[in-house]
Amino acid sequence: MASLPQYSAVVPAAGIGKRMQAECPKQYLHIAGKTIIEHTLANLLAHEQIKQVVVVLNANDTLFAQLPIANHIDIKVVEGGQERSDSVLAGLNYLSEDKDWVLVHDAARPCLAQSDLTALLQLANQGNIGGILATPVRDTMKRSAECKTSQQSYVKHTEPRENLWHALTPQFFNCGTLRRALNETRHQNVSTTDEASAIEYLGEKVILVEGRASNIKITQPEDLLLAEFYLTQQQAK
């Protein structure tokens, strides 16, 4: 029986998470008995097709080394940069092999379902540039404008939600193509909020793979209870 293809994952974790109003970066907050980043990394490493995870840390990070998972044989640590794209590039440069495919996953998304990850990894066999996990937008979407006199926002118009998706992670691309896209957007001073937007800048098509809405990114204090609920449900299965 042929062995399944193996892939590396890059987890940028150099941010400080200002919106969490916490004393430490959000990835080090505890839920369901562990730090958020421990849940995230253990989730990736549990998949049979993940061979290693490159964690990209802030140069001043002293917390990660204290976690038990930091000693895992398949965890590698590199120093990140000021922006997310800088940290992802640092991870890609550590991997170096342009021909390989690589996942990029948020450190603060601990609730990734294994079946969603499996579905995303299938893109490597389909002859395309790569893709992302995403969920269709179900809420009514409003475009806002700001009133100059009151500085309050008001509804400019309602956006049709057809064909709108919430971008999630992991995002999965050929390593060399993603490195080229991130370097190009940096050179052109183009702002990117995820890896897919850099690939889009090259004019390439990014595949959408529908994933679970439970794959939330913890950015606000109220997200902690929801993430803990999802993790508890996953662990009970």
Side-chain angles (χ1 to χ4, degrees), residues 164-212:
L164 287 180
W165 294 69
H166 293 287
L168 311 175
T169 71
Q171 304 197 351
F172 186 47
F173 299 103
N174 169 267
C175 186
T177 303
L178 181 55
R179 184 187 290 108
R180 179 164 60 90
L182 291 171
N183 279 321
E184 182 66 18
T185 52
R186 173 195 277 181
H187 179 71
Q188 298 295 334
N189 200 28
V190 174
S191 176
T192 58
T193 55
D194 68 353
E195 291 65 55
S197 54
I199 296 289
E200 293 159 34
Y201 183 77
L202 294 183
E204 302 286 358
K205 289 182 173 63
V206 175
I207 303 297
L208 293 164
V209 176
E210 185 169 352
R212 287 167 173 74

Side-chain angles (χ1 to χ4, degrees), residues 147-167:
C147 179
K148 293 182 179 179
T149 55
S150 67
Q151 294 186 334
Q152 289 181 311
S153 295
Y154 62 91
V155 175
K156 186 176 182 181
H157 62 262
T158 299
E159 293 281 0
R161 64 187 173 203
E162 290 76 20
N163 301 320
L164 287 180
W165 294 69
H166 293 287

